[in-house]
Amino acid sequence: MHHRTSRRTLLTATAAAAAAAATGVVALPGSAQAAASAASTDSRLKRLIARMSLEEKVGQLFVMRVYGHSATEPDQADIDANLAEIGVRDAAELISTYHVGGIIYFAWAHNTRDPHQIADLSNGIQRAGLAGRTPLPLLVSTDQEHGIVCRVGEPATLLPGAMALGAGGSRSDARTAGRIAGAELAALGINQNYAPDADVNVNPANPVIGVRSFGSDPESVAGMVAAQVKGYQSAGIASTAKHFPGHGDTSTDSHTGLPVIRHTREQWAELDAPPFRAAVAAGIDSIMTAHIVVPALDPSEDPATLSHPILTGILREELGYDGVVVTDALGMEGVRTKYGDERVPVLALLAGVDQLLNPPDLKVAWNAVLGAVRSGEISEARIEESILRILRLKTRLGLFRDPYVTHRGVDRTVGVRSHLATADRIAERTTTLLANTGSLLPLSRRSHRNLLVVGADPASPSGTTGPPTTTLAGAFEELGFAATALSTGTAPTQAKIAEAVAAAAGKDAVVVGTYNVSATSSQRTLVSALAATGVPVITVAIRNPYDIAQLAGTGYAASLAAYSWTDVELRAAARVIAGRARPEGRLPVPVQRADAPAQALYPVGYGLSYRM
């Protein structure tokens, strides 16, 4: 690892001016001191902004992806990808060319191989930022929601995702999860997390949110969101509530289309707004926009990301939020449907956005904003408002004082035993038992020792865990069972179903991991065929908890919801099945009957327990 940059190198004259905002304030009583400190900070930051070129100002508005494990020496394949998509070779060249204010990490961009590498990449990015004409540290961000959206994987601690935490119902656990996740990200040099998800998932068919939401009750979601914000803040990183004004009631994925939400203004205020109000009250650092249309909030039917009535009228003026507003990724189809890539970033800034996240073509977007300022369509004062918010956040995070991390800090924080143990205990409190015919569960090793584990094996959210059937089988083995794993997939063929039925012969029970079962899914056929053998079948929904409604009549004996297929949640489900932990989770969303969707099969708060 590179040595820590010296204080003399780090604090050049311009950066020192901003750094001084955090120190040396004359003591004043209470709020007066806070007000004086804020005024002093703004004064110093405005002087810093005044020294920036227009190109540097425009660059501060962008948060961009970049390929590679290193800021200066990525692999050749990543250099080629960067040249093809961005026109630069590496992160350092991206920063020197476009003066971007932030960089976002993705596993698929090869940014997150292992903890020491991530820390080195983060330090290289900060060195590049401080080497510019106006030395500026960067916001390094990622989507580390945990559960099904996770960019940094093992050996970092993986925690239950939002809906699992909602099932656990403990705000303390939500806060603890945020604190652990935040501490580990901070140790890696990642200072802005695009979490928690503040959407209220009231549509079981929602293809993009689902278990990323804490649940369907606005007040419960609001409480969990506030708890997670406090957890992240206590770890010293920025958190981001998303996706404003609320993405929970859509059947369209904004990655591939433009969702329209038909809530009235009153329904929005009752259903969607409470978690965002709670986030603002908790001091949320940033809020992410949604690429959705809400006609009741903006009759023009512009996506919320581009809507002045929504972002300025409601978020800024009605909710009183003056923190950083970041777009969802600008390469998503939802924001590109109505306007071209050249107009989208300009319209977003005019709507009230501060950060432009991951445009598909940075050169086009950057030049479009530069041209809009030079032509007068966007005033320089307008973008300076956003830059001030961004620099305030960087100051609060201490990035002007010292943006670097160390390998020692990584080793003392990331994936440590206490964090892993806490994640396991939290996960146990989230697993939800929905059906238990004849009190089959908990399984006894004396009567049901020989198990077959079959089902879906979706790719790991972080690329570091699973596959789920193997993970479950391994967890049962560790608990003293004999377990065989057989992957049957999300759409098992007749041949694969026949193979599973043959493998069930002589087994004492079969555990089936199900994944978003539909009315026509062959996963239903698999469960029915296995149950017909007479061997008890236990289903575990490894994503959305709605699977049980589609499995009615298939003959399963017991059914659980795990809310994700990462190892921590699967191990917890195995311990619950084996009786090493009690099923404490309660549904945070209702499960409707498949044959009568207006009727609840299982209401919010439902969940069985063991008599032990």
Side-chain angles (χ1 to χ4, degrees):
M1 179 178 177
H2 299 286
H3 294 295
R4 179 183 290 270
T5 299
S6 70
R7 188 72 94 190
R8 183 173 60 185
T9 302
L10 173 63
L11 296 179
T12 60
T14 49
T23 59
V25 177
V26 177
L28 295 169
S31 60
Q33 179 174 334
S37 176
S40 176
T41 296
D42 279 4
S43 176
R44 296 175 190 276
L45 292 178
K46 286 176 181 177
R47 290 200 295 271
L48 177 61
I49 293 169
R51 288 192 287 270
M52 295 167 62
S53 68
L54 180 58
E55 290 79 6
E56 288 172 323
K57 291 176 183 178
V58 169
Q60 279 298 297
L61 306 173
F62 285 92
V63 180
M64 190 60 184
R65 70 190 179 279
V66 65
Y67 290 88
H69 71 287
S70 165
T72 55
E73 298 178 350
D75 294 340
Q76 187 61 49
D78 292 323
I79 292 174
D80 294 342
N82 285 326
L83 288 170
E85 293 187 17
I86 314 172
V88 298
R89 293 173 57 84
D90 51 39
E93 190 175 333
L94 167 65
I95 294 164
S96 65
T97 302
Y98 289 102
H99 317 291
V100 294
I103 285 180
I104 180 172
Y105 287 172
F106 293 103
W108 52 259
H110 311 138
N111 303 141
T112 57
R113 289 182 179 177
D114 65 74
H116 285 181
Q117 167 269 317
I118 298 171
D120 290 346
L121 173 60
S122 298
N123 285 343
I125 285 169
Q126 298 298 357
R127 271 190 297 275
L130 294 174
R133 187 186 74 88
T134 305
L136 293 168
L138 277 83
L139 288 168
V140 178
S141 61
T142 198
D143 293 284
Q144 190 79 347
E145 298 175 18
H146 289 272
I148 71 166
V149 176
C150 203
R151 311 303 188 203
V152 181
E154 293 181 348
T157 304
L158 298 179
L159 292 136
M163 191 170 286
L165 291 170
S170 168
R171 295 182 184 180
S172 175
D173 280 352
R175 182 168 182 162
T176 298
R179 176 182 56 77
I180 290 173
E184 296 200 6
L185 290 176
L188 300 171
I190 299 171
N191 46 54
Q192 184 176 22
N193 191 18
Y194 296 138
D197 191 300
D199 300 312
V200 181
N201 200 74
V202 294
N203 187 342
N206 194 324
V208 65
I209 304 301
V211 291
R212 298 170 63 191
S213 163
F214 289 104
S216 62
D217 177 74
E219 295 307 319
S220 296
V221 173
M224 300 298 276
V225 166
Q228 285 242 287
V229 170
K230 293 295 187 183
Y232 286 122
Q233 288 174 334
S234 71
I237 71 164
S239 61
T240 307
K242 60 188 187 186
H243 308 79
F244 190 82
H247 210 316
D249 189 9
T250 174
S251 56
T252 300
D253 185 343
S254 52
H255 290 86
T256 57
L258 179 58
V260 178
I261 293 183
R262 299 293 180 184
H263 290 180
T264 65
R265 188 66 163 76
E266 293 72 25
Q267 287 173 322
W268 174 82
E270 179 182 348
L271 292 173
D272 301 293
F276 292 101
R277 292 187 185 276
V280 172
I284 190 72
D285 302 288
S286 51
I287 290 178
M288 180 178 286
T289 68
H291 304 326
I292 59 173
V293 166
V294 189
L297 304 185
D298 183 355
S300 76
E301 301 200 4
D302 278 345
T305 298
L306 311 180
S307 169
H308 189 274
I310 291 175
L311 297 187
T312 296
I314 295 177
L315 181 56
R316 295 287 191 206
E317 297 171 1
E318 182 179 323
L319 270 62
Y321 178 66
D322 193 38
V324 172
V325 174
V326 57
T327 70
D328 206 344
L330 295 182
M332 294 167 59
E333 193 60 31
V335 78
R336 303 171 77 186
T337 299
K338 192 171 181 181
Y339 302 99
D341 291 339
E342 191 171 349
R343 290 300 297 160
V344 164
V346 173
L347 294 173
L349 291 169
L350 291 171
V353 157
D354 301 306
Q355 288 183 307
L356 301 162
L357 177 61
N358 204 21
D361 189 322
L362 178 59
K363 184 177 182 180
V364 166
W366 191 86
N367 281 317
V369 174
L370 191 64
V373 176
R374 285 175 172 164
S375 71
E377 183 180 8
I378 302 176
S379 70
E380 196 161 349
R382 165 65 193 89
I383 67 168
E384 287 178 353
E385 290 177 12
S386 289
I387 296 164
L388 180 59
R389 292 190 186 103
I390 293 165
L391 295 186
R392 280 175 186 156
L393 179 54
K394 292 180 179 183
T395 301
R396 285 203 304 274
L397 296 174
L399 298 180
F400 283 103
R401 291 194 306 274
D402 186 356
Y404 298 105
V405 293
T406 66
H407 282 190
R408 177 178 294 181
V410 169
D411 294 339
R412 286 191 299 210
T413 309
V414 177
V416 295
R417 184 177 301 176
S418 62
H419 287 179
L420 296 172
T422 299
D424 280 337
R425 299 293 83 77
I426 291 174
E428 285 178 355
R429 294 190 281 269
T430 70
T431 306
T432 307
L433 179 62
L434 297 174
N436 191 18
T437 305
S439 298
L440 172 67
L441 303 184
L443 288 184
S444 167
R445 284 179 295 172
R446 291 188 297 274
S447 58
H448 295 86
R449 183 177 181 277
N450 197 6
L451 307 179
L452 173 66
V453 179
V454 305
D457 273 338
S460 168
S462 63
T464 63
T465 66
T469 53
T470 302
T471 297
L472 274 171
F476 285 121
E477 291 275 358
E478 291 179 7
L479 295 169
F481 293 82
T484 302
L486 173 63
S487 178
T488 50
T490 56
T493 62
Q494 280 302 124
K496 187 59 72 173
I497 292 171
E499 183 182 355
V501 167
K507 297 294 190 291
D508 299 316
V510 181
V511 178
V512 183
T514 65
Y515 183 96
N516 290 3
V517 181
S518 67
T520 59
S521 172
S522 56
Q523 293 179 72
R524 276 182 46 86
T525 310
L526 171 68
V527 173
S528 293
L530 288 167
T533 67
V535 178
V537 173
I538 303 155
T539 66
V540 180
I542 63 173
R543 185 165 178 169
N544 291 327
Y546 310 113
D547 288 1
I548 190 170
Q550 299 294 346
L551 295 174
T554 57
Y556 62 81
S559 185
L560 303 92
Y563 306 100
S564 179
W565 62 96
T566 51
D567 290 6
V568 66
E569 284 150 309
L570 295 176
R571 289 194 307 265
R575 289 195 297 276
V576 168
I577 290 170
R580 300 297 179 88
R582 296 174 182 269
E584 298 183 27
R586 299 293 180 263
L587 282 174
V589 292
V591 174
Q592 277 91 13
R593 289 179 49 162
D595 59 348
Q599 299 178 27
L601 179 64
Y602 299 110
V604 170
Y606 182 86
L608 302 176
S609 302
Y610 292 153
R611 294 178 180 178
M612 298 172 65

